[in-house]
């Protein structure tokens, strides 16, 4: 039985109001879209199956452009009613105050908004529409006015890599809860896009690592960049931000904790991998998640090339979508990595200590109010801290202290407090 997913992306439609150069879905224009896209009822059924397998999962309703589906609020309401955390991934251009209010009433916990450059012309050229940047900024302002939690999604390319520090400052000053820095894989329309060089990729990851450590109110994360873990260790071996220290973020979670559903119902390991694990029109999500050969292969990968010889293969493992797109070999080496294996022993992730700890009633009550998508990490950090203290029980005071260490005297960001129901 596979571990439960904690993130599932649902591409609701191929329709889009943009024509982005890097689109992994090769999304179509406003009038087009797959004729066999999942119906409202089929998506609701899929959401129920996802909730059965991953009751604490975050579901990202995205596209194409998800706001072009009239049933978006209905789907969001159904998902949130199942106990799933619902986020909408959008280009932000359609986020009017009225639409945001509708999404909030439907139980949407936040939105992810793509900003590809702080230069309007660069963003518009990248997105294929003049005026797109201004409309996206309007969507961000509307989220702030409505107190709708939002993330900024930035795709680092050869042309925009120099903006990383400014983008961190922009996301912080704009009031974003998260800045996700994405690194493209050449699939869909993006297979004709050059992306980023290996050298520039390393430089950006080092800047992301520094920002992730320095920022107190803004979460800064690398996406589709498993090499982040190696780079973080090289920068500071004692920095508890990699799987070597029991930390999951920064690496690839395709098939282990993450899956994507296409507009037509195919389940794939991630948005950049078109290898179908099965169709929700023929099988349940539970059956596909637990038994699909392509997913199980990624859970026990037999890596080749430099990845197979690398000391960091357990912590990093490389991106599997890149070699699949380049050569058709999912287990090949990731050519965006500059590291040459040194022949040392494989570095193993820190495993949670075997000894069970007791959780005080007030601690259990407290952590139950932590958003599901970060609860596992918070629980692990609290238990590690208590073990270091030589104690056997986690208390609410421990959780409060760790939150203060992470976020300062002001406590967790407003979006987390809001999700806890404290505001």
């Amino acid at each position: 039985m596979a571990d439960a997913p904690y993130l599932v992306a649902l591409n609701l439609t191929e329709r889009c109001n943009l024509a982005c150069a890097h689109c992994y879905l090769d999304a179509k224009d406003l009038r087009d879209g797959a004729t066999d896209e999942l119906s409202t009822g089929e998506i609701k059924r899929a959401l129920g199956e996802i909730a059965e397998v991953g009751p604490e999962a975050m579901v990202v309703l995205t596209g194409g452009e998800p706001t072009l589906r009239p049933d978006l609020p209905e789907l969001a309401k159904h998902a949130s009613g199942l106990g799933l955390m619902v986020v909408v991934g959008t280009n932000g251009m359609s986020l009017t105050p009225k639409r945001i209010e509708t999404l909030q009433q439907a139980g949407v916990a936040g939105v992810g908004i793509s900003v590809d450059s702080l230069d309007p012309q660069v963003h518009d050229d990248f997105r294929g529409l003049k005026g797109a940047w201004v409309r996206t900024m309007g969507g961000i302002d509307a989220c702030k006015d409505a107190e709708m939690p939002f993330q900024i999604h930035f795709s680092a390319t050869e042309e925009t890599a120099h903006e990383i520090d400014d983008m961190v400052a922009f996301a912080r000053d704009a009031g974003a809860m998260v800045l996700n820095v994405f690194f493209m894989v050449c699939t869909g329309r993006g297979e004709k896009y050059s992306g980023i060089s290996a050298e520039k990729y390393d430089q950006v990851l080092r800047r992301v690592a520094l920002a992730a450590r320095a920022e107190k109110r803004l979460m800064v994360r690398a996406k589709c960049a498993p090499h982040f873990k190696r780079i973080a260790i090289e920068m500071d071996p004692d920095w508890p931000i990699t799987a070597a220290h029991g930390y999951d973020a920064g690496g690839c979670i395709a098939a282990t904790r993450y899956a994507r559903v296409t507009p037509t119902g195919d389940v794939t390991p991630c948005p950049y991998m078109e290898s179908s694990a099965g169709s929700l029109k023929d099988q349940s999500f539970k059956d596909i998640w637990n038994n699909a050969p392509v997913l199980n292969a990624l859970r026990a990968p037999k890596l080749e090339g430099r990845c197979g010889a690398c000391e960091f293969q357990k912590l990093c493992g490389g991106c599997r979508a890149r070699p699949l797109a380049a050569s058709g070999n999912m287990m090949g080496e990731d050519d965006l990595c500059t590291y040459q294996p040194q022949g040392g022993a494989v570095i193993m992730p820190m495993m949670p200590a075997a000894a069970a700890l007791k959780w005080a009633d007030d601690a259990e009550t407290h952590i139950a109010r932590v958003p599901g998508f970060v609860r596992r990490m918070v629980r692990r950090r609290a238990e590690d801290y208590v073990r270091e203290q030589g104690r056997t029980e986690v208390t609410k005071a421990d959780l409060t202290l760790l939150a203060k260490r992470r976020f300062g005297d002001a406590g967790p960001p407003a979006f987390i407090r809001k999700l806890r129901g404290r505001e």
Side-chain angles (χ1 to χ4, degrees):
M1 185 73 70
D3 290 337
Y6 53 59
L7 180 62
V8 180
L10 269 66
N11 291 135
L12 298 181
T13 181
E14 289 184 354
R15 296 176 65 205
C16 191
N17 48 8
L18 290 174
C20 305
H22 63 302
C23 182
Y24 63 78
L25 196 62
D26 196 10
K28 308 302 189 295
D29 66 28
L30 285 168
R31 293 170 295 178
D32 293 334
T35 57
D36 55 347
E37 289 182 351
L38 294 178
S39 67
T40 301
E42 288 173 323
I43 294 174
K44 286 183 175 180
R45 186 182 71 244
L47 287 166
E49 294 169 355
I50 291 168
E52 180 185 0
V53 178
E56 295 184 345
M58 177 194 292
V59 171
V60 182
L61 303 179
T62 185
E65 175 49 44
T67 59
L68 296 180
R69 272 196 72 134
D71 59 355
L72 175 62
E74 181 180 354
L75 296 173
K77 183 176 182 179
H78 185 77
S80 61
L82 292 168
L84 297 167
M85 183 176 183
V86 184
V87 174
V88 172
T90 172
N91 56 44
M93 297 200 307
S94 300
L95 291 180
T96 63
K98 178 60 177 176
R99 188 183 298 277
I100 291 171
E101 180 183 3
T102 300
L103 294 176
Q104 288 175 318
Q105 292 173 348
V108 172
V111 295
I113 302 175
S114 298
V115 179
D116 295 304
S117 174
L118 297 178
D119 182 328
Q121 185 65 53
V122 173
H123 177 93
D124 289 357
D125 289 347
F126 201 59
R127 292 275 155 181
L129 180 70
K130 184 176 178 58
W133 188 88
V134 171
R135 292 174 62 184
T136 294
M137 293 300 114
I140 291 173
D141 288 341
C143 286
K144 290 166 61 178
D145 292 342
E147 297 186 348
M148 167 68 92
F150 66 95
Q151 306 178 5
I152 298 295
H153 296 170
F154 170 60
S155 294
T157 69
E158 194 74 11
E159 294 77 19
T160 63
H162 68 280
E163 294 192 51
I164 182 62
D165 291 338
D166 290 339
M167 191 62 71
V168 170
F170 167 77
R172 181 205 314 126
D173 295 343
M177 60 181 185
V178 178
L179 171 65
N180 285 324
V181 182
F182 285 85
F183 297 88
M184 297 181 302
V185 178
C186 296
T187 60
R189 194 180 301 133
E191 68 183 359
K192 300 180 178 66
Y193 199 83
S194 61
I196 193 169
S197 67
E199 292 73 23
K200 190 89 41 116
Y201 174 70
D202 265 22
Q203 293 172 17
V204 174
L205 285 181
R206 292 178 189 279
R207 297 306 307 167
V208 170
L210 290 172
R213 180 163 55 178
E215 293 295 325
K216 297 300 182 184
R217 308 294 294 170
L218 175 70
M219 296 183 185
V220 183
R221 304 186 297 198
K223 294 290 186 177
C224 306
H227 314 134
F228 176 81
K229 297 183 175 185
R230 168 184 58 81
I231 285 174
I233 287 178
E234 289 175 343
M235 292 173 67
D236 184 352
D238 296 323
W239 184 20
I241 198 168
T242 73
H245 300 275
Y247 184 70
D248 289 335
C252 179
I253 56 174
T256 58
R257 292 290 187 172
Y258 176 44
R260 182 271 296 252
V261 179
T262 72
T264 56
D266 284 315
V267 177
T268 73
C270 83
Y272 293 118
M273 300 181 78
E274 299 177 356
S275 304
S276 177
S279 172
L280 294 179
K281 294 183 177 180
D282 304 319
Q283 299 172 263
S284 70
F285 183 84
K286 180 178 181 179
D287 182 30
I288 295 171
W289 178 257
N290 287 325
N291 301 313
V294 66
L295 300 183
N296 285 327
L298 288 166
R299 291 163 187 157
K302 298 178 181 178
L303 303 178
E304 302 174 12
R306 284 183 297 140
C307 289
C310 186
E311 303 94 308
F312 295 95
Q313 61 182 269
K314 294 293 185 183
L315 303 185
C316 167
C319 173
R320 297 298 97 218
R322 289 195 184 97
L324 179 64
S327 67
N329 179 9
M330 187 169 66
M331 297 300 167
E333 68 178 50
D334 184 345
D335 61 7
L336 202 55
C337 178
T338 59
Y339 182 75
Q340 294 295 329
Q342 303 298 305
V346 173
I347 302 170
M348 301 301 293
M350 177 192 292
M351 301 304 293
L357 292 180
K358 179 182 178 182
W359 278 68
D361 291 343
D362 61 353
E364 286 286 10
T365 300
H366 189 80
I367 200 167
R369 291 159 52 192
V370 173
F373 71 105
V374 294
R375 189 179 302 140
R376 178 171 170 264
M377 182 176 67
V378 173
R379 182 179 288 273
R380 180 184 294 177
R381 285 182 171 177
E383 292 184 348
D384 287 346
Y385 169 74
V386 169
R387 287 191 180 99
E388 289 172 1
Q389 301 298 309
R391 295 187 285 111
T392 59
E393 183 179 57
V394 180
T395 68
K396 181 181 177 181
D398 295 320
L399 299 174
T400 301
L401 175 62
L402 291 173
K404 184 175 181 179
R405 285 184 176 180
R406 174 64 178 87
F407 300 112
D409 291 335
F415 84 96
I416 289 183
R417 299 198 302 273
K418 191 170 186 178
L419 291 174
R420 287 176 177 172
R422 291 169 54 187
E423 296 186 342

